[in-house]
């Protein structure tokens, strides 16, 4: 099975060999013209390949007992695509719900891939005259609050770090917690991205942003660079974070291992925390303690729309707890039997009087 992303070179891919030619053109357009990230393109690739495999099986182009993941759809042509109906798309969504147990979020992503492809085929390339995804509603998704470490947990994570390259790993976690960068952004940083007061970050779609460094980041970077300069086997001299063993740019998987180990040492493993949760933590702490407004936070995080950043305006658990204690009923404890009626009446009268006075 061909894949889009090379784990060792995430920004490089080989030619597509198992998808229709029109899908390949759409992916190249999305990458070169729209500037979408490799991960987004990879998602399109997988979703569209699954869709056309499903249609090949449903339309009888392959034996009915063929495994879906083994179907080659590279020979599907434009007339086949032109015949795709809205009903077939609904059937595909039903199939991935029932047969593949896809969640609402996964179905929404797959539908988004289809909408993007057919929009390209009808509006950009003008190869189709109708868009079968028009008026198909995106599956409703539950809005989840971002999971993040508390201030105390963040301090514990830094305090309890034990590793064979303390300066590097401490610097990695410090940047995550203070700058709110993505894993791919941290791994891809170069030495010359570090300025006097800022660090240059290349985000999704190769969009560049500058993030100011605070004293903690400056201190951690200085100590790490001094330690890095002592490496005798440094191969990739421009890469900021490197492996002590190979002297080459550190991999995303290795950074995940470093963070997981640090969480375990701080007694925070098993709580669902990860490198991406450190990004959530940075954003949440900036908003709660730094009096950072949404527009500034949007720029720091590299969000395209401020609506994405608004998830960090969530109410903290402490505020929810205080709100629960603030209700006038919070201290009421009724007694059993006869006393209940007396206490209940006096409470009603007391608050009725307050209500009428207001």
């Amino acid at each position: 099975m061909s894949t889009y992303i090379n784990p060792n070179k995430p920004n490089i891919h080989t030619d597509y060999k198992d998808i229709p030619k029109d899908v390949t053109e759409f992916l190249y357009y999305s990458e070169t013209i729209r500037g979408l990230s490799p991960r987004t393109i990879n998602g399109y690739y997988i979703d569209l390949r699954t869709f056309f495999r499903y249609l090949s099986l449903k339309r009888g182009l392959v034996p009915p007992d063929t495994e879906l993941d083994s179907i080659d759809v590279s020979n599907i042509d434009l007339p086949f695509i032109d015949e795709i109906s809205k009903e077939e798309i609904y059937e595909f969504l039903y199939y991935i719900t029932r047969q593949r147990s896809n969640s609402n979020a996964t179905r929404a992503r797959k539908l988004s891939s289809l909408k993007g492809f057919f929009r390209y085929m009808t509006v950009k390339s003008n190869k189709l005259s109708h868009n079968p995804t028009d008026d198909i509603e995106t599956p409703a998704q539950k809005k989840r609050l971002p999971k993040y470490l508390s201030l105390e947990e963040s301090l514990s994570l830094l305090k309890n770090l034990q590793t064979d390259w303390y300066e590097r790993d401490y610097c990695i976690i410090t940047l995550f917690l203070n700058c709110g960068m993505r894993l791919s952004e941290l791994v891809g940083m170069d030495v010359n991205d570090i300025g006097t007061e800022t660090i240059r970050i290349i985000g999704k779609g190769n969009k560049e942003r500058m993030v100011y460094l605070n004293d903690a980041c400056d201190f951690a970077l200085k100590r790490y660079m001094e330690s890095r300069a002592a490496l005798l086997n440094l191969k990739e001299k421009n890469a900021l974070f490197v492996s002590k063993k190979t002297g080459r740019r550190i991999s995303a998987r290795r950074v995940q291992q470093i963070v997981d180990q640090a969480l375990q040492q701080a007694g925070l493993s098993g709580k669902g925390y990860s490198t991406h949760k450190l990004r959530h933590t940075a954003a949440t702490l900036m908003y709660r303690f730094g009096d950072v407004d949404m527009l500034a936070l949007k720029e720091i995080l590299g969000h395209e729309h401020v609506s994405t950043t608004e998830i960090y305006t969530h109410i903290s658990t402490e505020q929810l707890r205080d709100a629960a204690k603030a209700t006038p009923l919070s201290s009421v404890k009724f007694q059993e039997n006869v006393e209940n009626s007396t206490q209940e009446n006096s409470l009603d009268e007391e608050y009725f009087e307050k209500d009428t006075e207001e």
Side-chain angles (χ1 to χ4, degrees), residues 28 50 91 98 179 201 293 331 337:
Y28 286 152
T50 301
E91 290 169 359
R98 297 301 180 185
C179 299
I201 299 176
D293 63 36
S331 60
N337 301 328

Side-chain angles (χ1 to χ4, degrees), residues 296-356:
L297 196 57
K298 168 183 172 294
E299 295 301 318
I300 293 172
L301 297 176
H303 286 158
E304 186 173 357
H305 303 290
V306 72
S307 58
T308 307
T309 316
E310 287 175 349
I311 62 172
Y312 297 106
T313 62
H314 56 80
I315 302 174
S316 68
T317 53
E318 290 81 7
Q319 289 173 303
L320 292 174
R321 189 182 300 113
D322 292 341
K325 291 180 179 179
T327 173
L329 299 176
S330 64
S331 60
V332 174
K333 299 178 182 178
F334 290 118
Q335 301 297 321
E336 295 181 359
N337 301 328
V338 181
E339 295 182 3
N340 274 359
S341 58
T342 306
Q343 193 168 8
E344 204 169 353
N345 289 337
S346 63
L347 183 70
D348 287 342
E349 291 172 2
E350 177 184 354
Y351 282 98
F352 177 76
E353 289 175 0
K354 286 185 179 179
D355 187 53
T356 53

Side-chain angles (χ1 to χ4, degrees), residues 258-274:
I258 291 169
V259 171
D260 289 344
Q261 183 179 358
L263 288 167
Q264 185 176 8
Q265 292 168 349
L268 299 172
S269 60
K271 295 187 176 184
Y273 295 145
S274 63

